[in-house]
Amino acid sequence: MASPWLILWALFSLLFPVLSDGKEREEPNLERSVVRNEEGVIEVGSSLPHCVKLAAGEPLALQSGGDVVIGGLFPLMNYIDCIQNCLILCSFDHRAFRWIMTMVFAVEEINRNLSLLPGVHLGYRIMDSCDHVHTGLKALFTPSQTLPTCLADSPVPAVIGLASSSPTRAVAHTLGPFNFPLVSYFATCTCLTDKSKYPSFLRTVPSDLFQVRGLVQMVTYLGWFWVGTIGTTDDYSHYAIQEFSSQFRQQGGCLAFHLTIPKLPTAAEIQEIADRIQSSTAVVVVVFARVGELLDLSLELAQRNATGIQWVASEAWVTASLLTSPRFHSLLEGTLGFSFPGVRIPGLKEFLLNIRPSPKPGMAFVNMFWEELFRCRLEFKGNQSADANYKGAAEKPVCTGSEDVKDIDSSFTDVSQVRVSYNVYKAVYAIAHALHTLLNCDSGEHYGRCENRKTFTSRQLLQYLKKVNFTNQFEEKISFDSNGEPVPLYDIINWQKDSKGEIRFIKVGSYDGFAPLKEQLQIKQSTIVWTSGQSEVPASQCSSPCSPGSRQARRPGEPHCCFDCLPCADGEISNQTGSTECTKCAEYYWSDRDQVKCVAGVEEFLSFHNIMGIILVTLTLLGVVLTTIVTAVFQRFRSTPIVKANNAEISFLLLLSLKLCFLCSLVFIGQPSVWTCRLRQALFGVSFVLCLSCLLVKTIVVLLAFHANAPGSRALKQFGLSQQRTLILCTTAPQIILCAGCLLGAPPFPFKNPNYHIVVECKEPWPPGFYLVLGYIGLLAFVCLILAFLGRKLPDTFNEAKLITFSMLIFWAVWISFIPAYVSSPGKFTVAVEVFAILASSFGLLLCIFVPKCYIILLRPQRNIKKGMTRKYLT
């Protein structure tokens, strides 16, 4: 913001215009931008490579008198720095000079128009704002000795300007309290919409708010959700990027980086920015900056031969010819961005080609342009130009006056599709139409002429300017809304090479901010040339979208665009690319193999026909056959000592219970039904308790038999066959009662479990019942193990305690392993685990207890005699 004394001086000059007393005053600063070379050394981009001090005198301006004089501020030369009262100058901005001359053309065109402002001659006073706050204010409010005397209350009732947002804010903030109209042709900052701060500001260029909305729509429409942004330190860039970031995130996008180009960047700073761009995974870079501020960075990236970057340009540089030179082709070809609508203004090109230098007052800018364009010097008396005090100016050839502008290829004469120039053109006509209404030009009282002697104030003109509503020769409706904004229309521009290898700005779409949401963005994607001349839309992603059948899992501490892809769980699907969540299938439906669609669930159970079922049935039958064989052997050799010594009746009951243990596993195989569900746990529980009861009796008999050898012991006689039967009945009865209670109170039933495919299983309404059955089996097994362990040192031939101990250890190992396996196994595998545990423990009991005895009976018959047993016992 300008210093306080400057603001006060500006306000004083505005309220009390002063005629010059003819004395010479100090020349206001004319400053130009510079380019830093690769070593960071400042290089002057024009024919003025040295620091010069401009002469004192009348401020440089392009002006023409009239009944009403319209002010103009244009960035003919950019502000850079002032060192020791010397100015650093850069190349003359040909494009800005074209804007100036477009304003002159529009004023002269209106003066020739008999239907618009008849009888009123418009004048202009155009000065260089140097694209800076201080210089802009100085240029605007410097008094002139050529101010018109007509309409003395408002010698300059309105100003067209400025180009950049920061100096525009300063000027608009100063003019606002006095309701002095300021119509901008290029200042797009959203901040200028605030009418409480800038009540007299209007513009013929849409606010960045609309441009940002359009850019966000375009970027997301093209599938770019991972982009970087580059801006500068000015208000235009700051507010635009802030709004873009906010809206982009609302649409699900993420910013990979945000880089700010300093006002006067060093070579190290430019290199650091370039490094960050090249190291990022973001291919798309959105830039809100002016062409002069991008030049250093573009030169650095071009020197590195950086390619593959898809640039998205704001309107400030999307049609900048300076960046279309061949050295930037590999870097910037395919650039895509928003620009103002372009038109071809009839007669403008001819007007520009016919300008000539002149020694007349008010032609300083034309003379400067002529010297700059043709690299010569004019020798008009009193000529004021940028070269006037440069010591090397005399080395230039003298301009002959026969030079022709059309012979020079310059952005000044490129008017095939003018855009910013068209905004200037519209601003002039908007002020003219406001004056036309204000001066009662349509009234019949003055015979078709305006009241050119009417006194009016800038406040009055502002009120009429806000109500302007007309359609120009290009069929565009010109008006301002309540915020002083025009209709937000944009062209979408693509940088494409033509047949000559030159970059051309090709329109590939449009954006209308006032259209329905779905109709705002119109883009012809097939006509777009992408970065490096590619024909397909480049992908800009932190992570590639997850394929169908998987979902995104966000990485901690990173933006949501950075994620890993995890497959959907069983029973869940994702049928779209980039799914963030998997969808659970409906009940009795299941996901297919690829997890992309739900299919009707196939009922699964442990069938007799699949491989696992066949294996388990085979093992079951094998167990039954082996048990039958052992039973037959024991029946055949029932009278032998070894069978008699081990309590034949209990042995046969044990073999029967083992056969039931094997057979009960068949109830677990096959499709569950009401009866199989009820019989499963009951048969399993009773069979194993009966088996363990027999082992418990056999263990007690072994211990009592050992103690019966002691003198006077009657323990074995007191635990006779009837007592053994009673003990078996008493230990089995609790299990029978428990199973009967569960069947009567909460009987199991078939159930389709959708958690693991569609598994048909038996559901236990009261799970504690099952665990009580297991617990009671475990209690008997524990008692058997303890008693058998106590009798393990009895004589080998007579003793079954060691065999029972070993069998109980196997039993415990199997069922302790069963519990975690049973809990963690899904679906039908739960049943398979239980069947395996039943078979394993049954085989363990059969093999450990009866195989050694069958070995003696069949293969060592000499040991199956009472004498042999006694001798073995005695030894």
Side-chain angles (χ1 to χ4, degrees), residues 479-766:
S479 62
F480 301 102
D481 63 13
S482 58
N483 292 321
E485 306 285 346
V487 176
L489 297 174
Y490 292 94
D491 288 345
I492 300 176
I493 300 300
N494 185 218
W495 291 26
Q496 301 181 11
K497 282 186 179 180
D498 61 11
S499 57
K500 298 179 181 179
E502 298 178 351
I503 293 291
R504 297 298 179 191
F505 305 133
I506 307 300
K507 179 181 176 180
V508 294
S510 62
Y511 177 81
D512 183 353
F514 282 172
L517 182 61
K518 294 183 179 180
E519 301 176 7
Q520 291 179 349
L521 184 69
Q522 302 292 332
I523 188 168
K524 301 175 184 177
Q525 191 168 329
S526 60
T527 63
I528 298 176
V529 173
W530 308 99
T531 178
S532 303
Q534 299 176 16
S535 58
E536 295 184 358
V537 182
S540 185
Q541 304 163 342
C542 181
S543 301
S544 298
C546 296
S547 59
S550 60
R551 65 175 179 86
Q552 299 176 2
R554 184 173 174 178
R555 298 171 186 168
E558 296 187 33
H560 66 84
C561 297
C562 303
F563 50 81
D564 297 314
C565 295
L566 300 180
C568 293
D570 290 339
E572 296 182 347
I573 64 164
S574 67
N575 53 13
Q576 293 181 345
T577 300
S579 296
T580 57
E581 296 293 338
C582 294
T583 305
K584 189 175 181 63
C585 292
E587 190 175 14
Y588 304 132
Y589 281 79
W590 199 249
S591 54
D592 63 355
R593 177 175 297 181
D594 297 327
Q595 310 290 100
V596 296
K597 64 180 179 178
C598 292
V599 295
V602 178
E603 294 183 354
E604 293 187 4
F605 50 85
L606 189 59
S607 171
F608 288 102
H609 305 293
N610 59 35
I611 295 177
M612 185 178 295
I614 292 172
I615 292 174
L616 293 177
V617 169
T618 302
L619 292 175
T620 299
L621 295 177
L622 177 62
V624 172
V625 170
L626 289 177
T627 305
T628 303
I629 292 173
V630 172
T631 303
V633 170
F634 266 58
Q635 180 63 31
R636 171 68 179 77
F637 297 95
R638 186 170 185 172
S639 60
T640 59
I642 196 168
V643 176
K644 290 182 177 181
N646 288 281
N647 198 334
E649 182 176 339
I650 302 300
S651 295
F652 283 117
L653 185 59
L654 177 59
L655 286 169
L656 176 62
S657 63
L658 283 174
K659 189 176 292 185
L660 291 176
C661 289
F662 281 116
L663 290 174
C664 78
S665 63
L666 295 176
V667 185
F668 288 84
I669 304 174
Q671 183 172 359
S673 64
V674 174
W675 289 108
T676 56
C677 286
R678 294 183 178 183
L679 289 176
R680 280 183 179 185
Q681 305 302 349
L683 286 176
F684 159 69
V686 173
S687 299
F688 267 90
V689 165
L690 180 60
C691 178
L692 291 173
S693 298
C694 293
L695 288 177
L696 179 63
V697 169
K698 291 175 74 67
T699 305
I700 293 175
V701 169
V702 170
L703 291 174
L704 292 178
F706 176 77
H707 289 292
N709 293 327
S713 175
R714 300 179 59 189
L716 186 57
K717 294 180 180 181
Q718 293 177 354
F719 192 67
L721 189 59
S722 59
Q723 287 80 11
Q724 295 174 19
R725 293 172 181 169
T726 302
L727 180 59
I728 291 173
L729 180 62
C730 291
T731 52
T732 306
Q735 187 77 311
I736 295 175
I737 295 172
L738 180 60
C739 290
C742 290
L743 290 176
L744 294 175
F749 56 88
F751 169 70
K752 294 181 180 180
N753 186 358
N755 293 328
Y756 299 103
H757 297 272
I758 308 298
V759 177
V760 183
E761 59 187 18
C762 291
K763 187 173 181 63
E764 298 287 344
W766 191 53

Side-chain angles (χ1 to χ4, degrees), residues 50 127 129 157 169 195 205-206 236 307 330 589 691 752 766:
H50 301 287
M127 303 190 70
S129 68
R169 288 183 69 191
K195 291 295 113 179
V205 55
Y236 161 73
T307 57
S330 61
Y589 281 79
C691 178
K752 294 181 180 180
W766 191 53

Side-chain angles (χ1 to χ4, degrees), residues 74-191:
F74 294 85
L76 195 59
M77 291 169 284
N78 293 325
Y79 173 93
I80 291 298
D81 205 353
C82 181
I83 306 173
Q84 296 178 354
N85 296 322
C86 292
L87 302 176
I88 300 174
L89 306 180
C90 74
S91 61
F92 191 93
D93 193 337
H94 293 185
R95 191 166 71 136
F97 185 63
R98 169 162 40 89
W99 302 343
I100 291 175
M101 297 312 297
T102 302
M103 177 177 172
V104 174
F105 171 79
V107 169
E108 294 186 4
E109 188 177 67
I110 292 170
N111 287 336
R112 294 193 303 268
N113 190 339
L114 300 179
S115 62
L116 183 60
L117 289 175
V120 176
H121 184 79
L122 292 181
Y124 50 83
R125 177 173 172 80
I126 302 172
M127 303 190 70
D128 183 14
S129 68
C130 293
D131 204 26
H132 189 263
V133 175
H134 296 75
T135 318
L137 286 169
K138 287 181 180 180
L140 177 64
F141 298 121
T142 300
S144 170
Q145 60 182 344
T146 60
L147 285 176
T149 56
C150 292
L151 306 172
D153 288 341
S154 53
V156 180
V159 174
I160 296 176
L162 297 77
S164 298
S165 295
S166 292
T168 302
R169 288 183 69 191
V171 173
H173 190 272
T174 304
L175 297 178
F178 306 101
N179 292 287
F180 195 99
L182 177 66
V183 185
S184 176
Y185 51 87
F186 208 12
T188 59
C189 180
T190 308
C191 55

Side-chain angles (χ1 to χ4, degrees), residues 194-208:
D194 188 353
K195 291 295 113 179
S196 63
K197 295 182 179 179
Y198 315 107
S200 65
F201 176 76
L202 304 95
R203 51 186 161 190
T204 56
V205 55
S207 164
D208 280 331

Side-chain angles (χ1 to χ4, degrees), residues 383-519:
N383 174 42
Q384 281 188 305
S385 71
D387 288 350
N389 296 286
Y390 169 46
K391 65 181 181 180
E395 300 175 1
K396 290 184 177 182
V398 178
C399 300
T400 63
S402 61
E403 298 90 357
D404 196 337
V405 176
K406 67 177 65 175
D407 295 334
I408 304 295
D409 185 13
S410 168
S411 59
F412 172 72
T413 56
D414 183 10
V415 293
S416 56
Q417 286 287 310
V418 292
R419 302 176 188 279
V420 181
S421 298
Y422 181 45
N423 292 336
V424 175
Y425 187 83
K426 289 188 290 185
V428 176
Y429 267 86
I431 294 174
H433 276 270
L435 286 169
H436 186 88
T437 306
L438 175 61
L439 299 177
N440 299 318
C441 297
D442 292 327
S443 173
E445 298 179 5
H446 303 280
Y447 306 102
R449 298 178 64 85
C450 302
E451 298 181 41
N452 59 345
R453 309 301 297 181
K454 178 179 178 180
T455 299
F456 65 90
T457 64
S458 58
R459 181 191 299 269
Q460 291 174 306
L461 178 59
L462 176 62
Q463 298 306 316
Y464 282 92
L465 189 57
K466 290 179 178 179
K467 299 176 183 179
V468 159
N469 191 339
F470 66 96
T471 301
N472 65 13
Q473 60 176 314
F474 305 103
E475 301 300 323
E476 180 179 350
K477 183 178 179 181
I478 308 299
S479 62
F480 301 102
D481 63 13
S482 58
N483 292 321
E485 306 285 346
V487 176
L489 297 174
Y490 292 94
D491 288 345
I492 300 176
I493 300 300
N494 185 218
W495 291 26
Q496 301 181 11
K497 282 186 179 180
D498 61 11
S499 57
K500 298 179 181 179
E502 298 178 351
I503 293 291
R504 297 298 179 191
F505 305 133
I506 307 300
K507 179 181 176 180
V508 294
S510 62
Y511 177 81
D512 183 353
F514 282 172
L517 182 61
K518 294 183 179 180
E519 301 176 7

Side-chain angles (χ1 to χ4, degrees), residues 674-871:
V674 174
W675 289 108
T676 56
C677 286
R678 294 183 178 183
L679 289 176
R680 280 183 179 185
Q681 305 302 349
L683 286 176
F684 159 69
V686 173
S687 299
F688 267 90
V689 165
L690 180 60
C691 178
L692 291 173
S693 298
C694 293
L695 288 177
L696 179 63
V697 169
K698 291 175 74 67
T699 305
I700 293 175
V701 169
V702 170
L703 291 174
L704 292 178
F706 176 77
H707 289 292
N709 293 327
S713 175
R714 300 179 59 189
L716 186 57
K717 294 180 180 181
Q718 293 177 354
F719 192 67
L721 189 59
S722 59
Q723 287 80 11
Q724 295 174 19
R725 293 172 181 169
T726 302
L727 180 59
I728 291 173
L729 180 62
C730 291
T731 52
T732 306
Q735 187 77 311
I736 295 175
I737 295 172
L738 180 60
C739 290
C742 290
L743 290 176
L744 294 175
F749 56 88
F751 169 70
K752 294 181 180 180
N753 186 358
N755 293 328
Y756 299 103
H757 297 272
I758 308 298
V759 177
V760 183
E761 59 187 18
C762 291
K763 187 173 181 63
E764 298 287 344
W766 191 53
F770 172 68
Y771 294 108
L772 286 174
V773 170
L774 285 180
Y776 188 69
I777 293 174
L779 176 63
L780 290 180
F782 179 74
V783 174
C784 287
L785 177 62
I786 295 300
L787 293 178
F789 182 78
L790 294 175
R792 70 189 185 282
K793 293 184 179 180
L794 294 179
D796 290 345
T797 303
F798 184 78
N799 186 16
E800 279 188 305
K802 284 186 177 181
L803 300 179
I804 294 173
T805 301
F806 190 63
S807 66
M808 285 297 98
L809 289 175
I810 293 176
F811 186 91
W812 271 102
V814 169
W815 286 100
I816 288 175
S817 302
F818 160 77
I819 294 174
Y822 181 83
V823 172
S824 61
S825 297
K828 64 183 181 181
F829 297 103
T830 303
V831 180
V833 167
E834 187 171 357
V835 173
F836 177 79
I838 292 172
L839 294 176
S841 56
S842 299
F843 273 112
L845 294 174
L846 177 65
L847 298 177
C848 290
I849 295 176
F850 290 101
V851 168
K853 295 174 183 179
C854 291
Y855 173 77
I856 293 174
I857 292 171
L858 299 176
L859 301 179
R860 293 290 186 268
Q862 67 275 13
R863 297 176 56 185
N864 191 13
I865 57 176
K866 188 173 183 180
K867 181 178 180 180
M869 293 176 62
T870 305
R871 183 168 54 253

